[in-house]
Amino acid sequence: MANMSCSEGESDSSDAGDSDSFLEDNPFTINPVLQEDIQKLKERFPQSAVSWRTLPIINEMDLDMSLPTTFLESTVTTAWGLIPGLPVVIRINLNHEHYLFKNAVIRVDVFQVPTLKRNGILMQIKNIAESFCRTNVQRIVNERQSPLTCDETIKLSKEEVTHLKDMGYTETAISQALNLSDGTVNSTIDILMQSSENMLASPNLQLSAHDGFLAELYAYMQKRLLTLNDYCPICDHHHDIKLSVMLKPMICGSTLCIFSFQTLGVMADASTDIVTEPQVVYLLLQLTRAAVESARHDLILAPYPTIVDDKLHEIVLYEQKKDITLLKEIISSIPHIKTLLDIDPENLKQFMENVHPFSYSLLRWIISSNRSHIVKLAKEQYLDFMHTNHQFLLRNSPPLEDQRFREEKSKSGSVFAFHGSPIENWHSIIRQGLLVASGTSKQLNGAAYGKGIYISPHLNTSLGYCNRLLSISMPPTKKAKKAAVDPNDPQDEFIDHLLEKMTCIALCEVINNNHLKRHCDTIWTCEKSEFICTRFFFVYDRNFPANLVEQEIHMKPGSKYVKQIEQALEATK
C-alpha cells in the first residue's frame, strides 16, 4: 500500500499537526495503543517527522518515520549510495485497528525518494527493520520475559566489551546476553539483537518497552545506521570482530549469502559502476590483476575472489576452493574498460559471459568487494605537486571510527605522511585497510624500526617502498618530459595497462600522539591502525615524470603542500 492515493474519508497528513487532528477526530478508528506509541515516538524523537495516511476501508495505515542522515559526512553517505542531506524514510504498513495483535503483519519499505530504485544500503536497512519488527512484535505478544540474572563467570576481553558498548549496549545488557551465549562475542551480539530493551537511541537515552514499539524501532534503526559496515547486508550477521573495520559493508562467508549475491544480483550492479565510475572500476581491476599475477598470491590475495556458476548452482571459486590457474584465465579475459563502455548496459552481462562464462561474475565481485570509498578527483581538485592525472579520493573509515579519529585529532592534532607499497598489495589494503604487517607473513620489507605501519613525510622515501623504480632510471618519453614540466597536460584518462609500469602511493592523515614514532626525519611508524586514515591515492604508469624523485616534497606542517592538501580535503567534503 506504499503508493495508495487518498480519497474522501482518508487522511494524507504531511505533518504532525494534521496527524494530531486526525487522531482527535477519529478516536475509535485507530487502536489506542498505536495512538499512544505515535505520541511517545514524537515526544522522544521530534526529528522523526512521523506522518501517516490511512485507508479505512481495509483498516491499513502507512506510517513514515524519517531518519536524518545529516550527522553523517557527505563522503559516508555518498560511499553508501545515499543522497547526502536527505533523510532515510522507514515506512511501515500495518492494520491500524489490530496493531500488535497476535499474527499481526507489519510490512516495511525503506527509501529516500520513493520513485528511485533501491540501492544495496537501503535494502540492508529494510532487512534490518523487517527483522526487528518480526522479532519484537512476537516478543510483545508473548509479553516481556523477567529480567535476566547477571552472571560474571564468563568474560569478554576489554576490547570486545568496548566494541559492544560502542554499538550502544550497556554493560549490564552485555553481561546478561553473555550469560545466555556460548561465550563468544558474535553469539553475544546475536542475543543482544534479539532484545531491543537495551538499545540506545543516543548515548544518553535508553529505551524500554514502556516507551512504545515505534520508539524502540526508531532508536534501534538510528543506532544501526552508524554500524551498517559491521554486518552482512544480506543476512545481517555481525562480522567477526577480528575483521578490519572498513567503510563499506561486505558479504559474509555464508553459502546462502554468496549465492544470493551472485545469482540474484543482490547488492551488485557492475554495469552501473562502469558507466558512472569507469576509471575507478579499471583501477580496481588492475589492482586485483596485480595480486593474482603476483608470485605471492597465496599470501596477498585476500579476500579471495568468490564466483558462483549460475547454471550448475555451485561455487566455483572462494577462500576454501582456490584455483589460481582458473582465476588468471578469467581475469585475463575481461575486456578493457573502454570496450565495456561501448556495450549497452542491458547487454553487458551477456557480452562478458560470451567472452568467458565467469568474467562478469568476477568483475562484479571485484567492484562490490571493495570496502573503501574511491572517487576520481576532478581536475580542479588535483594536488598538482604529485604530477599525475590519476588522483583519487580514498576513504575507508566508517562513521564511528571517523568520530573517534576526529576526537583524537582535536586533542593531539594531526600530520600528513605517505604510505608506499607494491601494487600487488593494494587489492588487500583497500578491502582490509592499512594493517600492522610487521612480524607477519605479509611483511615484505624489513622492520628495522619495529612494529607499525611505515609512513614517511617525504614522498621519495615512500616511493622507495613501492619496489617499482624502473621507469625512473629509464630516459623519460616525450610525453613524460612534458608532464614533468606541465602537470596539467592531458594524459589518457585510464591508467596504462602495463602492471610492471604502475606505482601506487597513498597520502594519509595521522594522529600526532605518542603512537606516532618519528625514528628519523624520513621514517615514521604508527603503532595503531585506528590513528591513521587514508585520504588520497595516486597512481603512476609508464609516463612516470622523471623529475618527481628530484623534488623535495616534504609534508612539513604549514608548508605549501600541506595547505593545498587541507584545501583539497575541504573541497571534497
Side-chain angles (χ1 to χ4, degrees):
M1 300 305 300
N3 295 315
M4 71 176 73
S5 60
C6 294
S7 59
E8 186 177 357
E10 299 170 2
S11 170
D12 184 13
S13 64
S14 58
D15 56 58
D18 289 343
S19 300
D20 287 337
S21 298
F22 179 77
L23 288 179
E24 292 172 3
D25 296 339
N26 300 270
F28 303 108
T29 302
I30 296 182
N31 185 299
V33 177
L34 175 56
Q35 293 187 43
E36 186 178 359
D37 276 7
I38 291 174
Q39 189 60 36
K40 289 178 177 178
L41 172 64
K42 290 161 57 180
E43 291 172 356
R44 295 289 193 278
F45 304 102
Q47 75 275 16
S48 64
V50 59
S51 62
W52 59 86
R53 53 183 178 177
T54 63
L55 190 60
I57 296 175
I58 57 175
N59 296 329
E60 285 197 357
M61 169 190 285
D62 273 347
L63 188 146
D64 291 353
M65 298 181 292
S66 296
L67 281 173
T69 60
T70 49
F71 65 93
L72 296 172
E73 285 191 58
S74 60
T75 301
V76 174
T77 52
T78 302
W80 286 354
L82 300 176
I83 304 172
L86 286 186
V88 171
V89 177
I90 299 176
R91 172 172 292 172
I92 59 176
N93 173 261
L94 47 81
N95 185 307
H96 57 74
E97 285 191 354
H98 299 160
Y99 176 64
L100 300 183
F101 279 25
K102 185 175 182 179
N103 300 322
V105 176
I106 295 181
R107 302 178 185 88
V108 178
D109 191 15
V110 173
F111 57 86
Q112 281 192 296
V113 180
T115 56
L116 294 183
K117 181 181 178 182
R118 308 295 190 267
N119 65 17
I121 285 291
L122 291 175
M123 292 172 61
Q124 181 179 2
I125 297 173
K126 180 177 183 290
N127 291 340
I128 293 169
E130 285 179 334
S131 177
F132 181 94
C133 291
R134 185 168 54 249
T135 301
N136 289 280
V137 167
Q138 188 61 43
R139 167 184 58 83
I140 292 171
V141 170
N142 294 334
E143 299 182 346
R144 303 199 63 81
Q145 296 180 352
S146 59
L148 300 173
T149 302
C150 185
D151 186 344
E152 299 294 341
T153 59
I154 307 177
K155 296 284 188 180
L156 293 176
S157 69
K158 182 178 179 180
E159 292 75 16
E160 290 171 333
V161 172
T162 299
H163 179 75
L164 293 176
K165 290 172 68 176
D166 287 340
M167 291 170 60
Y169 298 105
T170 64
E171 289 188 9
T172 300
I174 294 169
S175 179
Q176 292 172 349
L178 181 60
N179 187 42
L180 296 177
S181 73
D182 60 9
T184 66
V185 68
N186 286 335
S187 175
T188 305
I189 289 172
D190 288 340
I191 292 172
L192 283 167
M193 288 178 61
Q194 293 172 13
S195 173
S196 63
E197 179 178 20
N198 302 294
M199 270 295 173
L200 300 182
S202 69
N204 300 316
L205 179 61
Q206 181 173 342
L207 297 183
S208 69
H210 301 294
D211 295 283
F213 172 75
L214 296 179
E216 283 190 90
L217 171 60
Y218 190 87
Y220 182 77
M221 298 308 299
Q222 191 178 59
K223 194 65 181 179
R224 288 295 306 274
L225 193 60
L226 287 169
T227 58
L228 294 176
N229 55 290
D230 282 340
Y231 298 82
C232 172
I234 296 178
C235 71
D236 202 38
H237 180 73
H238 190 274
H239 294 306
D240 192 309
I241 198 169
K242 295 179 181 179
L243 287 176
S244 302
V245 179
M246 299 288 283
L247 177 54
K248 291 187 176 182
M250 63 176 282
I251 306 296
C252 72
S254 162
T255 303
L256 181 59
C257 291
I258 292 173
F259 271 95
S260 297
F261 168 74
Q262 290 283 356
T263 60
L264 302 179
V266 178
M267 303 289 294
D269 185 1
S271 60
T272 300
D273 290 279
I274 289 172
V275 171
T276 59
E277 301 177 286
Q279 293 91 351
V280 174
V281 171
Y282 192 62
L283 171 64
L284 295 175
L285 176 61
Q286 288 292 79
L287 297 183
T288 301
R289 275 188 58 210
V292 170
E293 296 179 10
S294 170
R296 301 167 56 240
H297 60 79
D298 278 342
L299 295 176
I300 63 175
L301 192 54
Y304 199 84
T306 301
I307 294 177
V308 172
D309 187 328
D310 295 347
K311 296 179 179 178
L312 297 179
H313 301 291
E314 66 177 15
I315 301 178
V316 177
L317 290 175
Y318 69 119
E319 186 66 34
Q320 286 74 37
K321 191 177 181 181
K322 297 180 179 180
D323 187 337
I324 194 63
T325 302
L326 176 59
L327 189 53
K328 287 181 178 179
E329 175 188 313
I330 300 170
I331 202 165
S332 63
S333 73
I334 298 177
H336 195 283
I337 195 71
K338 294 179 183 178
T339 301
L340 300 181
L341 281 171
D342 291 333
I343 306 300
D344 186 326
E346 296 292 329
N347 302 324
L348 180 65
K349 184 174 185 291
Q350 187 60 53
F351 171 82
M352 293 190 67
E353 289 180 346
N354 288 340
V355 176
H356 192 287
F358 304 133
S359 64
Y360 181 81
S361 293
L362 178 58
L363 182 60
R364 188 173 62 178
W365 180 89
I366 290 172
I367 295 171
S368 61
S369 64
N370 167 37
R371 301 190 68 197
S372 297
H373 180 51
I374 306 177
V375 178
K376 180 75 163 61
L377 292 179
K379 189 173 181 180
E380 59 271 16
Q381 297 173 324
Y382 284 179
L383 301 179
D384 53 21
F385 60 85
M386 294 302 292
H387 296 283
T388 175
N389 283 7
H390 307 308
Q391 302 194 20
F392 302 84
L393 178 72
L394 175 60
R395 296 285 298 275
N396 53 32
S397 299
L400 288 179
E401 288 291 313
D402 253 350
Q403 181 180 334
R404 296 190 195 101
F405 188 90
R406 290 193 298 270
E407 290 172 354
E408 290 294 332
K409 180 178 176 179
S410 67
K411 298 175 186 176
S412 307
S414 65
V415 292
F416 293 98
F418 295 99
H419 177 79
S421 190
I423 182 176
E424 62 263 28
N425 289 347
W426 287 99
H427 165 88
S428 175
I429 292 174
I430 64 173
R431 291 168 173 82
Q432 299 181 344
L434 290 175
L435 304 175
V436 178
S438 308
T440 72
S441 59
K442 292 185 178 181
Q443 178 181 331
L444 182 60
N445 299 295
Y449 296 95
K451 290 185 177 182
I453 298 170
Y454 279 65
I455 51 180
S456 176
H458 286 260
L459 175 60
N460 292 354
T461 300
S462 290
L463 285 172
Y465 283 86
C466 297
N467 291 353
R468 183 285 205 182
L469 301 175
L470 295 178
S471 63
I472 299 178
S473 60
M474 295 171 58
T477 63
K478 291 182 179 180
K479 190 173 183 180
K481 288 180 180 179
K482 190 174 182 181
V485 178
D486 180 10
N488 294 318
D489 179 54
Q491 301 173 15
D492 189 341
E493 61 178 326
F494 293 104
I495 301 164
D496 190 83
H497 69 284
L498 296 176
L499 294 176
E500 64 271 19
K501 298 294 184 179
M502 286 180 61
T503 294
C504 301
I505 195 164
L507 179 59
C508 308
E509 186 173 6
V510 191
I511 299 298
N512 192 19
N513 58 17
N514 59 354
H515 292 287
L516 175 62
K517 307 297 183 183
R518 293 175 168 84
H519 303 284
C520 61
D521 188 45
T522 58
I523 302 293
W524 298 352
T525 58
C526 182
E527 298 175 332
K528 300 285 187 179
S529 58
E530 59 264 35
F531 292 142
I532 178 169
C533 285
T534 55
R535 297 304 186 204
F536 296 101
F537 188 67
F538 307 96
V539 181
Y540 299 93
D541 52 20
R542 72 169 80 194
N543 298 309
F544 194 112
N547 73 336
L548 182 63
V549 293
E550 300 170 5
Q551 299 182 39
E552 186 64 22
I553 299 178
H554 185 194
M555 297 295 106
K556 292 181 179 178
S559 68
K560 62 179 181 180
Y561 304 121
V562 170
K563 289 179 180 178
Q564 188 175 350
I565 292 168
E566 291 172 342
Q567 291 173 355
L569 285 174
E570 189 64 31
T572 58
K573 285 185 178 179

